[in-house]
Amino acid sequence: MNTTTISDTASHHDEHDAPTGIARWLASTNHKDIGTLYLWFSLFMFFFAGALAMLVRAELFQPGLQLFQPEVFNQLTTMHGLIMIFGAIMPALVGFANWQIPLMIGAPDMAFPRLNNWSFWLLPAAGILLIATFFVPGGAISGGWTMYPPLYIQGGMAYDISILAIHILGISSIMGAINIITTILNMRAPGMTLMKMPLFVWTWLITAFLLVAVMPVLAAAITMLLTDRHFGTHFFNAAGGGDPVMFQHIFWFFGHPEVYIMILPAFGIISTTIPAFARKPLFGYASMVYAVASIAFLSFIVWAHHMFTTGMPVGGQLFFMYTTMLIAIPTGVKVFNWVATLWRGSITFETPMLFSIAFVCLFTIGGFSGLVLALVPVDIQLQDTYYVVAHFHYVLFSGSAMAIMAGVYYWLPKWSGRMYNETLGKLHFWLTAIAFNITFFPMHFLGLAGMPRRIPDYALQFADFNMISSIGGFMLGVSQLLFLYNVVQCIRRGTPAADKPWEGADTLEWTLSSPPPYHSFVTPPHIK
Amino acid sequence: METHPHPATYYVPASSIWPLVGSVALLSLGAGFALLLNEQPVGPYLVAIGAGILLIMLIGWFGDVIDETQAGKHAEQVETSFRWGMVWFIFSEVMFFAGFFGALFYARNLAVPMLADAQILWPGFSASWPTAGPGTDATITPVAAWGLPALNTLILLSSGATVTWAHWGVLQGRKNQLLLGLALTVILGALFIALQIHEYGDAAFSIRDGIYGATFYLLTGFHGVHVMLGTAMLFVIFWRALFGHFTARRHFAFEAVAWYWHFVDVVWLLLFVFVYWL
Ligand SMILES: [Cu+2]
């Protein structure tokens, strides 16, 4: 991808004022500023929900009830999951989309700059509502992030507040996704055909489609919860001819694509960093695009693998088992392509690359444990055990979260115009990778031995692994302070970064200055 | 090198306070509604304040966009963005209704038969539709499809025709046809809503009557809200047409509302078939 003309950004203004002070952030219509807001918000929520996880691990440090009553423990696990998903991972990935998509396709901004700002500012509104639930009578929601009835119908005010908060998050996600799709379809620079787009842009195009398709379904599901709670409907009550399992069907029709919403942009980040540090073009670009599209398609027909123990017919179990196992094919294509990109590359191991390689290894472990769980007879044993907890932390932490960290280290020089401290970055990586495995690898053993999740106490034979896991958890939590420190130090007093600090990087954003001008590509570049 | 015809600039609006105002509105609405549901006296006030702020935001924000359009700031590429935006917005609405239709099909074809097959909790319950569920003796007399609902179908289908007729008007520069078509569409929309309210008043069952009542009122209710929204939007378009905002070439706001109206129309046809008729 070569650019023959690079924008002259200083000369062209219609209403391109660069506001200063607080208005710059509150009323922004600039994709970079809004991206920054998303990223800071998600970092704050990452630490908040991470603190909840520390409390969970503290309670599980030893058997018996030490710190919390069971209902408080369940509030902690529920809110940890809900906030990590909707408050930390998704906003971080949208932050990347905001910063990178216009830069990577040569657009002046997002297609709907004001809508973009609304998508962001709805997040703090929902965040306030969610955090406030800890302080209402009865405490926060405690039925798990999946919100299953009948438990969810019986709880107190926190349940209503959370439903409305999730509605607001849904509005934000849908508007954000529409904005991203429109930007990619309509704002590409001349010559930037779809199959020339960087893979990160492709993953976001498909992710945004998933968001528009499934967030409204979640909205419908939680609306039914709300009417069951307050307006006398019987959607999820068998006495009225409804069915609590119906909620699980509708929820997981949203829920399974949702996990891909959190991983596909991470694939996009990794598909950007690995070629850059291997100094080779991405192996099998077209097959990567088709793999992402197939994963997205399959995500709509696998949802009941979360429900093998709810009593579905054998035919249904077989169907959902096989469709789930099919996902291994396009995912395998991706993993092999990343490895093939590394093959005979001139590889260097800067912090983003370390995180990327860890992603490939550890996400693959999470993918394999997912395959294990896809097997109906095995899943019936492992349903609701710590094996499941281990599985989804391998895909969500060592998958999504570590890809986000790779992306932050990779693009921070571009975004801030300054370099981070490489030594600290590497230290952060090694501590994170080691602590992560100490925390979550033993959970596989705990789950196989039968330890149930969402229970604050456990049998004595689980004590050793839980203590190891908790120690790893505290290490993991503390290590993230290094990340915060490194980012803040980089922005405040890092050494100035070159326009293209990574030798092997080849996407459009590196043709701009670091940091890029206020309006990225006022005159679109021409792509050969 | 390919040389695409590409406008030199894409209109990037100056900073705007409306998104933040909208977020405050939804925060107030969300908190207020939760408090209202839990019988806290402050709830209704917060809801009212939130709704008021939301209305101000909508007027202000759309007002800005209309001013920009009238000032000619939206080049063709911006209009293409609007088109994509509207297409995907309508798709999201389709998926919202798909969630409720999914509940209807699941309950009718799976949940109720399974309850009848199991015979554990409620021996003697036999599957039928409509049903108020095995936990009650109440029987449901549904609204007869070929009465008021059929008339409403006719009304909405006609309104689809009138809005298309209005579209021909704007395309051929006949302002009177545009205005008349829009006015007729608004009137038909309002008539539909009035008849729907009348039907609710006469219905022999309520939202509390089992899964049938739940699916019936949520599906028709959300559809009704969409008709109200569509009618309100058509009304705004009527006023804008009156002030001559639309030309044969540039009238995307009209088209967007017309698309939305057709979407509401199609949802109603599905409702008529699967909720009222079959
Ligand atoms: Cu799944």
Side-chain angles (χ1 to χ4, degrees), chain A residues 308-348:
Chain A
F308 284 148
T309 56
T310 56
M312 75 175 74
V314 174
Q317 290 181 328
L318 285 176
F319 174 81
F320 287 107
M321 175 171 87
Y322 287 130
T323 51
T324 304
M325 293 171 79
L326 270 182
I327 297 176
I329 296 170
T331 312
V333 167
K334 300 197 75 71
V335 172
F336 282 118
N337 279 348
W338 289 322
V339 175
T341 307
L342 293 170
W343 178 254
R344 293 191 164 179
S346 321
I347 305 175
T348 49

Side-chain angles (χ1 to χ4, degrees), chain A residues 4 12 14-17 19 23 26-29 108-115 117-118 120-122 124-126 128-129 156-157 160-161 164 167-168 171 174 178 181-182 185-191 193 196 209 212-214 216-217 219-221 223-224 226-236 238-243 245-246 249-250 253 300 311 519 522-524 526-528, chain B residues 1-4 6-24 26-27 29-31 33-35 37-38 40 54 57 61 64-65 68 73-74 76-86 88-89 91-93 95-100 102-104 106-107 111-112 114-115 121-122 125 131-136 207-215 218 222:
Chain A
T4 49
H12 205 106
D14 33 55
E15 293 188 30
H16 297 8
D17 57 331
L26 292 180
S28 179
T29 49
D109 207 288
M110 296 291 280
F112 305 114
R114 281 172 289 216
L115 206 60
N117 195 32
W118 201 23
F120 170 74
W121 279 105
L122 286 174
I128 290 168
L129 289 177
M157 201 200 305
D160 299 316
I161 298 175
L164 295 162
H167 270 307
I168 294 176
I171 295 170
I174 292 168
I178 291 174
I181 298 178
T182 306
L185 292 181
N186 191 37
M187 312 258 310
R188 297 191 311 278
T193 58
K196 277 186 190 163
F209 168 75
V212 184
V214 300
V217 177
T223 302
M224 289 183 243
L226 195 72
T227 59
D228 267 20
R229 285 173 59 79
H230 289 289
F231 299 97
T233 57
H234 294 80
F235 285 107
F236 309 126
D243 186 352
V245 175
M246 178 167 83
H249 279 291
I250 305 173
F253 183 82
F300 286 106
H519 290 284
V522 173
T523 317
H526 285 260
I527 317 297
K528 275 201 283 199
Chain B
M1 197 178 76
E2 302 151 74
T3 48
H4 286 233
H6 204 286
T9 56
Y10 184 89
Y11 179 70
V12 178
S15 45
S16 162
I17 200 67
W18 298 120
L20 189 69
V21 173
S23 297
V24 173
L26 286 195
L27 176 61
L29 267 175
F33 193 49
L35 292 166
L37 289 173
N38 289 277
Q40 303 294 316
L54 189 67
M57 179 278 262
W61 192 336
D64 282 355
V65 177
E68 289 157 13
K73 288 176 179 167
H74 293 163
E76 207 153 319
Q77 196 189 5
V78 179
E79 199 181 294
T80 310
S81 285
F82 288 156
R83 284 175 192 276
W84 278 122
M86 195 65 196
W88 290 102
F89 170 67
F91 176 66
S92 78
E93 292 267 45
M95 292 309 292
F96 181 69
F97 277 97
F100 291 105
L104 172 69
Y106 183 92
V112 171
M114 279 193 288
L115 279 170
L121 290 171
W122 291 284
F125 174 69
T131 178
T136 167
I207 194 169
R208 304 179 151 274
D209 284 324
I211 189 66
Y212 184 82
T215 50
L218 252 73
F222 273 115

Side-chain angles (χ1 to χ4, degrees), chain A residues 417-496:
Chain A
R418 291 167 188 277
M419 284 306 284
Y420 61 87
N421 182 322
E422 191 65 56
T423 314
L424 271 184
K426 284 185 170 142
L427 184 64
H428 169 230
F429 165 75
W430 284 110
L431 285 173
T432 302
I434 292 167
F436 168 79
N437 282 294
I438 297 175
T439 312
F440 293 103
F441 209 78
M443 288 185 187
H444 292 106
F445 308 135
L446 288 168
L448 289 167
M451 180 174 163
R453 62 191 282 215
R454 293 173 175 163
I455 309 282
D457 191 5
Y458 48 82
L460 288 180
Q461 75 263 29
F462 302 133
D464 292 346
F465 278 136
N466 267 297
M467 193 177 280
I468 295 171
S469 186
S470 285
I471 291 169
F474 301 143
M475 268 177 70
L476 187 58
V478 173
S479 315
Q480 302 321 308
L481 295 173
L482 264 183
F483 181 52
L484 179 66
Y485 177 79
N486 206 354
V487 170
V488 171
Q489 283 301 89
C490 166
I491 294 169
R492 289 180 59 198
R493 53 179 74 115
T495 49

